[in-house]
């Protein structure tokens, strides 16, 4: 909403009318379900690395498990979206929440004494791999279905605001999930966090069946086949300049995911095993909730690529703040810095992809926006586990792990700057 809208009562009144009439009922149902799904996801995600380490006693093994889970949950939506289009969002939501609910329950069960004989007989490592893959398959259907619903249930006037509501609720879930998980873990135990996430997802099964209806008839859903989706993927992969952009961007997410891997390990081992890790990590989400409008206002004159570069640089500075004196106050301060960098670049990322996309193929290119997150998770868990085991656990100076993360951020910033200088104008001219 612009300043002119705020200062002009008539425009503001029209804006209120547009909001009241510009969204169908399913818009609000889908976004509320997304809020509960994000609470469930981030609630368990903030403790997943520590939880798995308690079970397997090995950071590298934990790294492999988190890499498998993260890569699939952010990589599979490319294909899950095509399936959701074919079967309808209501069926996709129902399938997603049933699988997520069962998956989170099984992850929690792996740490419970009651189920130990079962997992020992089946093989704990193999069982956890299967459970995480199973859970990720369910989770991969949620975002395409929510985003598809937002697009179909918003009017042209409110569509942009609709996506802003979606982004806002995602971050509220990212903030509330760890907060709730902290109290559950403190009072009932770490494994019970996964049971709460499971309950939240099963609750959304009921919410889907009772309140959600497909926003269009089944005949109106686009009928993209999996074969065509594969062809689209090949076409995007063959676009060297676009793939290079995504690969460079994945370095940012590679750094980001260490907030959920290296940071919990470090705080637990070198500051306090009883530290409220989930609450500390949630500072990033709270920063976005509280500061997004201010950051948007301050950076609105920047082009999208310079906002991305600046966001990379600011987030990289997180590790300098922490390196000054690794402690809980400076972890909190550092994560606030990270959130400012994230807010600076994240909204402009999709705008930049729109600039890169050839005409008539904007939607297809936007569909691959999650690939940098998937790529980063695919390597991030293993890399984080190996870095921490090599430097953070056995070294006399464990804080040097943050020098490595700083190096990743600096390299990402430099590469994005170089990419802009070499390719950006040419990409726009060639593809447009």
């Amino acid at each position: 909403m612009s300043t002119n809208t705020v200062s002009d009562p008539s425009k503001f009144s029209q804006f209120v009318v547009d909001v009241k009439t510009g969204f169908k009922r399913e818009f609000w149902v889908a976004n509320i379900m997304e809020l509960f799904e994000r609470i469930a996801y981030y609630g368990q995600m903030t403790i997943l690395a520590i939880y798995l380490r308690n079970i397997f006693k090995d950071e590298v093994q934990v790294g492999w498990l988190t890499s498998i889970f993260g890569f699939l949950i952010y990589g599979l939506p490319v294909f899950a979206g095509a399936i959701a289009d074919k079967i309808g969002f209501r069926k996709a939501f129902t399938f997603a929440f049933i699988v997520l609910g069962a998956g989170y329950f099984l992850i929690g069960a792996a740490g419970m004494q009651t189920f130990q004989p079962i997992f020992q007989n089946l093989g704990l490592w193999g069982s956890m791999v299967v459970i995480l893959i199973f859970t990720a398959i369910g989770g991969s259907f949620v975002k395409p279905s929510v985003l598809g619903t937002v697009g179909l249930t918003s009017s042209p006037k409110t569509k942009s605001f609709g996506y802003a509501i979606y982004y806002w609720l995602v971050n509220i879930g990212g903030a509330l999930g760890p907060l709730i998980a902290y109290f559950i873990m403190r009072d009932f135990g770490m494994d019970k966090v996964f049971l709460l996430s499971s309950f939240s997802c099963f609750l959304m099964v009921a919410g889907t069946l009772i309140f959600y209806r497909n926003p269009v008839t089944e005949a109106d859903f686009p009928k993209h086949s999996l074969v065509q989706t594969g062809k689209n993927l090949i076409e995007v992969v063959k676009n060297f300049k676009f793939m290079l952009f995504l690969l460079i961007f994945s370095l940012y997410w590679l750094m980001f995911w260490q907030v959920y891997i290296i940071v919990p390990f470090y705080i637990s081992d070198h500051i306090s095993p009883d530290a409220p890790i989930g609450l500390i990590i949630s500072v990033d989400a709270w920063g976005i909730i509280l500061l997004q409008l201010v950051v948007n206002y301050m950076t609105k004159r920047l082009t999208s690529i310079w906002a991305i570069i600046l966001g990379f640089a600011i987030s990289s500075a997180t590790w300098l703040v922490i390196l000054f004196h690794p402690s809980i106050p400076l972890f909190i301060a550092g994560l606030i810095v990270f959130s400012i960098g994230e807010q600076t670049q994240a909204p402009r990322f999709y705008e930049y992809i729109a600039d890169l996309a050839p005409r008539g193929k904007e939607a297809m290119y936007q569909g691959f926006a999650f690939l940098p997150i998937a790529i980063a998770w695919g390597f991030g868990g293993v890399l984080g586990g190996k870095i921490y085991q090599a430097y953070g656990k056995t070294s006399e100076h464990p804080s040097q792990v943050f020098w490595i993360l700083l190096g990743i951020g600096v390299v990402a910033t430099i590469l994005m700057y170089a990419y802009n200088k070499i390719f950006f104008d040419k990409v726009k001219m060639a593809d447009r």
Side-chain angles (χ1 to χ4, degrees):
M1 184 168 56
S2 67
T3 304
N4 290 337
T5 302
V6 175
S7 59
D8 188 332
S10 63
K11 289 184 178 181
F12 180 75
S13 298
Q14 184 59 49
F15 172 77
V16 172
V17 171
D18 290 340
V19 170
K20 286 182 176 180
T21 61
F23 299 115
K24 295 180 181 178
R25 175 175 171 272
E26 281 68 30
F27 170 89
W28 302 107
V29 175
N31 275 284
I32 291 172
M33 292 194 298
E34 170 71 354
L35 171 62
F36 276 85
E37 189 275 330
R38 289 291 88 183
I39 290 173
Y41 174 80
Y42 281 107
Q44 60 85 33
M45 198 64 215
T46 54
I47 65 165
L48 182 62
I50 295 293
Y51 175 76
L52 292 176
R53 189 175 67 165
N54 290 345
I55 294 175
F56 294 102
K57 314 299 182 185
D58 186 295
E59 288 83 4
V60 175
Q61 283 190 312
V62 171
W64 278 107
L65 290 171
T66 55
S67 283
I68 291 169
F69 182 60
F71 176 77
L72 291 177
I73 204 166
Y74 285 104
L76 289 178
V78 172
F79 300 98
I83 297 174
D85 279 342
K86 291 179 69 65
I87 67 175
F89 297 152
R90 188 169 187 259
K91 291 180 181 177
F93 275 130
T94 304
F95 172 81
F97 290 128
I98 289 174
V99 173
L100 278 173
Y104 288 145
F105 174 83
L106 291 171
I107 295 172
M112 297 179 188
Q113 196 65 35
T114 305
F115 297 96
Q116 284 303 302
I118 298 175
F119 283 98
Q120 293 299 332
N121 290 333
L122 293 174
L124 186 56
W125 169 262
S127 297
M128 187 58 71
V129 170
V130 172
I131 290 169
L132 290 173
I133 292 174
F134 173 75
T135 307
I137 290 172
S140 69
F141 279 84
V142 176
K143 283 192 176 298
S145 301
V146 174
L147 291 170
T149 301
V150 171
L152 290 170
T153 57
S154 306
S155 70
K157 287 184 178 181
T158 59
K159 185 168 292 188
S160 176
F161 188 60
Y163 283 111
I165 293 172
Y166 159 81
Y167 182 69
W168 182 268
L169 289 175
V170 164
N171 282 284
I172 290 177
L176 291 180
L179 179 65
I180 296 171
Y182 167 73
F183 291 110
I184 296 296
M185 183 173 61
R186 185 191 67 181
D187 295 337
F188 301 102
M190 191 175 289
D191 51 359
K192 303 307 186 294
V193 173
F194 296 94
L195 299 189
L196 181 65
S197 293
S198 174
F199 174 77
S200 178
C201 291
F202 281 127
L203 188 63
M204 290 305 97
V205 175
T208 301
L209 296 175
I210 296 171
F211 299 109
Y212 186 85
R213 297 292 180 270
N214 283 324
V216 294
T217 64
E218 186 174 342
D220 292 328
F221 277 92
K223 301 300 180 183
H224 297 308
S225 67
L226 293 181
V227 173
Q228 184 59 48
T229 301
K231 290 180 179 178
N232 291 344
L233 174 61
I234 293 172
E235 180 178 342
V236 174
V237 170
K238 288 168 65 177
N239 186 331
F240 170 76
K241 295 170 185 176
F242 182 59
M243 289 304 298
L244 181 60
F245 170 73
L246 294 181
L247 287 172
I248 295 172
F249 211 98
S250 68
L251 290 174
Y252 179 89
W253 289 108
L254 184 67
M255 177 176 62
F256 172 86
W257 289 123
Q258 303 315 313
V259 173
Y260 292 88
I261 301 169
I262 288 179
V263 169
F265 288 161
Y266 188 96
I267 293 175
S268 178
D269 290 346
H270 300 289
I271 296 179
S272 171
D274 299 319
I277 294 172
L279 298 185
I280 296 169
I281 291 176
S282 71
V283 166
D284 176 68
W286 285 111
I288 292 173
I289 292 169
L290 297 174
L291 300 175
Q292 183 70 75
L293 293 178
V294 175
V295 172
N296 281 355
Y297 177 80
M298 294 178 67
T299 60
K300 65 180 181 180
R301 295 185 182 276
L302 292 175
T303 62
S304 57
I305 183 61
W306 281 107
I308 290 171
I309 294 170
L310 178 61
F312 277 30
I314 294 172
S315 290
S316 300
T318 294
W319 313 114
L320 283 176
V321 173
I322 292 172
L323 276 164
F324 182 76
H325 180 62
S327 59
I328 289 178
L330 284 184
F331 270 104
I332 292 172
L335 289 174
I336 291 173
V337 172
F338 198 103
S339 77
I340 293 172
E342 184 181 349
Q343 294 167 73
T344 301
Q345 60 83 13
R348 312 300 291 277
F349 171 63
Y350 300 100
E351 176 185 340
Y352 189 77
I353 288 180
D355 287 338
L356 291 181
R359 289 198 183 279
K361 298 180 180 179
E362 290 85 356
M364 184 181 73
Y365 272 63
Q366 290 285 5
F368 290 86
F370 289 110
L371 278 184
I373 306 177
I375 292 169
W377 249 132
F379 293 98
V382 177
L383 180 65
K386 289 187 174 181
I387 288 174
Y388 187 78
Q389 194 172 76
Y391 300 101
K393 191 174 183 180
T394 59
S395 171
E396 294 181 2
H397 303 286
S399 61
Q400 64 185 310
V401 296
F402 302 118
W403 283 110
I404 297 174
L405 300 184
L406 174 62
I408 294 172
V410 169
V411 169
T413 304
I414 293 172
L415 287 177
M416 190 60 77
Y417 174 83
Y419 175 86
N420 176 50
K421 286 295 183 182
I422 296 170
F423 289 121
F424 182 57
D425 291 336
K426 295 179 181 178
V427 168
K428 291 184 73 174
M429 291 174 64
D431 287 343
R432 290 285 186 180

